[in-house]
């Protein structure tokens, strides 16, 4: 066999494999992230936070907020930092309802998470937390989060 142009069969096989891989990525959440998010090991859940946030799909963002409420501080902190991967207003908007929670801890985590998104659409929710929240720690964290928006006059 001579080296040169690949056979049509090989070319079609490679193309079909590439299309299948892209389709799997575009239309479904990688099962690995869902499995890690449900793991008993907190380091797995912390890793899943970044994978789910980077994925950014509706399916991933259905699972992701649960990591913001995790019992382990490392998982919660990683989930907050992973919010930096939520770039679109639609993705960031999924976190805004958490800012209206009755739990001060949930509102505090929401303020941190919203600040990491750096999406200007979250500014009204952050302003409300910074100015009107009844918990001083939530107001402090919301003010800190507002500083992450350099073009913001607040």
């Amino acid at each position: 066999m001579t080296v040169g142009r690949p056979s049509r069969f090989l070319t079609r096989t490679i193309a079909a494999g590439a299309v299948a891989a892209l389709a799997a990525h575009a239309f479904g959440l990688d099962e690995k992230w869902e499995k890690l998010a449900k793991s008993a090991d907190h380091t797995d859940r912390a890793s899943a936070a970044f994978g789910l946030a980077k994925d950014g799909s509706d399916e991933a963002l259905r699972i992701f907020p649960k990591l913001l409420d995790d019992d382990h501080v490392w998982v919660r902190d990683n989930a907050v930092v992973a919010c930096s991967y939520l770039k679109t207003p639609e993705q960031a908007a999924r976190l805004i309802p958490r800012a209206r929670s009755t739990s001060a801890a949930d509102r505090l985590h929401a303020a941190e998470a919203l600040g990491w998104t750096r999406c200007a659409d979250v500014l009204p929710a952050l302003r409300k937390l910074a100015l009107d929240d009844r918990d001083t720690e939530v107001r402090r964290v919301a003010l800190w989060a507002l500083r992450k928006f350099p073009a913001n006059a607040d």
Side-chain angles (χ1 to χ4, degrees):
M1 181 174 195
T2 60
V3 176
R5 196 173 131 184
S7 70
R8 281 191 181 163
F9 174 76
L10 182 60
T11 304
R12 287 183 183 157
T13 304
I14 292 171
V19 169
L22 287 172
H25 179 68
F27 296 112
L29 175 65
D30 188 345
E31 293 174 10
K32 169 178 77 172
W33 299 125
E34 189 168 8
K35 183 178 178 182
L36 288 175
K38 295 176 182 177
S39 172
D41 183 6
H42 69 274
T43 57
D44 288 344
R45 295 191 312 274
S47 296
F50 285 98
L52 292 168
K54 284 180 183 179
D55 182 284
S57 67
D58 285 341
E59 218 177 326
L61 294 179
R62 176 184 50 78
I63 300 165
F64 179 76
K66 294 173 186 164
L67 298 175
L68 289 166
D69 297 327
D70 198 273
D71 292 335
H72 200 282
V73 67
W74 288 1
V75 178
R76 286 192 313 268
D77 286 350
N78 277 314
V80 165
V81 174
C83 288
S84 63
Y85 291 105
L86 304 179
K87 301 291 185 197
T88 68
E90 296 79 24
Q91 291 172 332
R94 304 278 297 259
L95 301 175
I96 292 175
R98 301 176 58 77
R100 296 186 291 267
S101 172
T102 57
S103 164
D106 287 351
R107 293 191 312 274
L108 184 130
H109 296 148
E112 287 180 314
L114 292 170
W116 277 94
T117 65
R118 296 200 178 91
C119 180
D121 290 6
V122 304
L123 285 172
L126 274 175
R127 275 189 211 105
K128 183 160 179 55
L129 288 172
L131 298 173
D132 300 337
D133 200 89
R134 61 189 170 276
D135 187 280
T136 56
E137 187 65 10
V138 172
R139 288 195 309 269
R140 184 191 67 77
V141 169
L143 285 169
W144 169 83
L146 284 169
R147 289 185 57 209
K148 290 187 164 233
F149 295 86
N152 178 23
D154 293 339

